[in-house]
Amino acid sequence: MTTRLDIAKTYKLFINGAFPRSESGRSLPVVNAKGDVLAHISHASRKDLRDAVEAARAAQTKWANATAYNRGQVMYRMAEMMEGKRDELAAAIMDPAVRDAKGKLAPKVTFAAAKAEVAAAIDRMVHYAGWCDKYAQVLGCNNPVSGPFYNFTSPEPSGVVVCVCPDASPLLALVSLLAPAMVPGNSVIVVASEANPLPSVIMGEVCATSDVPAGVVNILTGQRAELLSHIATHRDIDAIHAGGLTVAESALLREGAAENLKRVTIRQANSTGKKSSKTDSFDWTDPACNTPWWIESFVDFKTMWHPAAS
């Protein structure tokens, strides 16, 4: 009697609403604690990043011009599809072996903890879906001016945002970085958690079945260090939203952005300045993540003057 060999799934990138392989042809294995291969992921290259930026730029204007109500509906639909994939997402959080920078195996995530993270991620997506038609009232204002004028300040999306996900809380952190950028009408490129990319690639399948317009969300997997310098210096990226970076990685993004004036927002628990310090200790379950002020980092403000009736 022969023993059947399981067929490990190879997850593709998610670019412009499609699932292409990396143009480099590379892939990486995702293994469990025993060393068994659970799946393979595509190893994104600089060219894949460029393709994702082009797709995001082409899609951004239409997404920004959609009504706030429609954007909220699309994001709520994402939460609905995540709800239908609760067990799959929980398994994706729990099964892969996660190692730190020194190669030490992290404690296994329990199924209960994985399910709790999935529930928190779904709730956070619903939360930000509700802000789509409300954030402008909080961030915008009617300014008091001297003279017969009305003066309004209105928030507008920045453009193309790159979200760099941490190794910790791979699903909840992804949603926490992605959702605030989507709310005002930005298109987004996600660089998945390097330690556990499976929740991110499943989110690509969620987007493909959630009425998300092609190019609005793009997901890259692979090695973060290979992409960070290109993200920092790319002139068609308008903002970066990141978490779980080392001090050196944070400095790399800020130094590259200084040349092209992109906005860099890094969520971190401390600023000790130690070269080996990781910021993965940020608490992604903190209710403070549910705030319109996280949206503020990804909007620009336009002030309009209008004559007042005499």
Side-chain angles (χ1 to χ4, degrees):
M1 181 177 178
T2 59
T3 302
R4 182 182 180 278
L5 297 176
D6 293 334
I7 299 176
K9 184 173 182 177
T10 298
Y11 287 95
K12 314 300 191 299
L13 307 175
F14 183 62
I15 300 175
N16 201 27
F19 293 93
R21 298 178 184 271
S22 170
E23 62 81 29
S24 66
R26 300 175 298 176
S27 65
L28 296 168
V30 179
V31 300
N32 62 18
K34 297 179 181 179
D36 300 326
V37 176
L38 300 174
H40 293 85
I41 58 161
S42 294
H43 185 173
S45 68
R46 179 183 182 181
K47 176 62 165 58
D48 296 317
L49 173 65
R50 288 167 53 195
D51 291 344
V53 172
E54 289 179 7
R57 179 61 66 189
Q60 192 272 323
T61 300
K62 185 176 180 180
W63 177 241
N65 289 338
T67 65
Y69 175 72
N70 180 247
R71 289 200 302 273
Q73 283 185 311
V74 170
M75 292 182 66
Y76 187 82
R77 178 63 175 163
M78 291 175 68
E80 288 181 333
M81 298 307 296
M82 291 171 67
E83 186 77 28
K85 290 178 173 286
R86 288 174 66 104
D87 290 344
E88 183 181 0
L89 286 167
I93 294 170
M94 180 182 65
D95 291 344
V98 177
R99 298 181 182 274
D100 61 20
K102 297 180 180 180
K104 184 178 179 180
L105 191 65
K108 182 176 175 61
V109 178
T110 65
F111 188 57
K115 289 184 70 175
E117 181 176 341
V118 173
I122 294 170
D123 292 348
R124 187 154 295 168
M125 183 64 76
V126 172
H127 172 87
Y128 277 107
W131 274 112
C132 287
D133 58 357
K134 302 174 184 69
Y135 83 95
Q137 292 93 317
V138 176
L139 301 184
C141 59
N142 182 3
N143 305 307
V145 294
S146 177
F149 302 100
Y150 292 118
N151 183 264
F152 303 95
T153 296
S154 175
E156 295 186 339
S158 297
V160 175
V161 179
V162 172
C163 296
V164 183
C165 296
D167 291 338
S169 303
L171 178 64
L172 181 57
L174 182 155
V175 171
S176 302
L177 296 171
L178 169 68
M182 288 184 69
V183 167
N186 297 299
S187 53
V188 183
I189 301 160
V190 173
V191 178
S193 165
E194 185 173 334
N196 184 2
L198 293 189
S200 294
V201 293
I202 294 172
M203 282 298 292
E205 297 175 354
V206 166
C207 292
T209 55
S210 301
D211 304 322
V212 178
V216 170
V217 177
N218 306 273
I219 299 175
L220 305 180
T221 53
Q223 295 178 343
R224 185 168 60 192
E226 186 174 330
L227 299 176
L228 283 183
S229 61
H230 305 305
I231 292 169
T233 57
H234 199 299
R235 291 183 175 274
D236 207 24
I237 294 172
D238 301 297
I240 298 171
H241 197 193
L245 303 183
T246 63
V247 171
E249 290 169 336
S250 298
L252 174 65
L253 289 181
R254 296 189 190 282
E255 289 169 2
E259 180 184 352
N260 46 51
L261 302 181
K262 64 169 60 71
R263 188 174 302 168
V264 178
T265 302
I266 299 174
R267 309 296 177 183
Q268 56 190 31
N270 60 66
S271 55
T272 60
K274 296 179 181 179
K275 291 184 179 180
S276 61
S277 174
K278 274 278 187 181
T279 58
D280 279 356
S281 55
F282 185 88
D283 183 8
W284 296 100
T285 64
D286 191 338
C289 299
N290 296 332
T291 169
W293 304 113
W294 276 42
I295 302 170
E296 183 187 25
S297 298
F298 310 104
V299 298
D300 298 322
F301 291 94
K302 179 174 69 177
T303 299
M304 297 159 283
W305 294 76
H306 193 280
S310 56

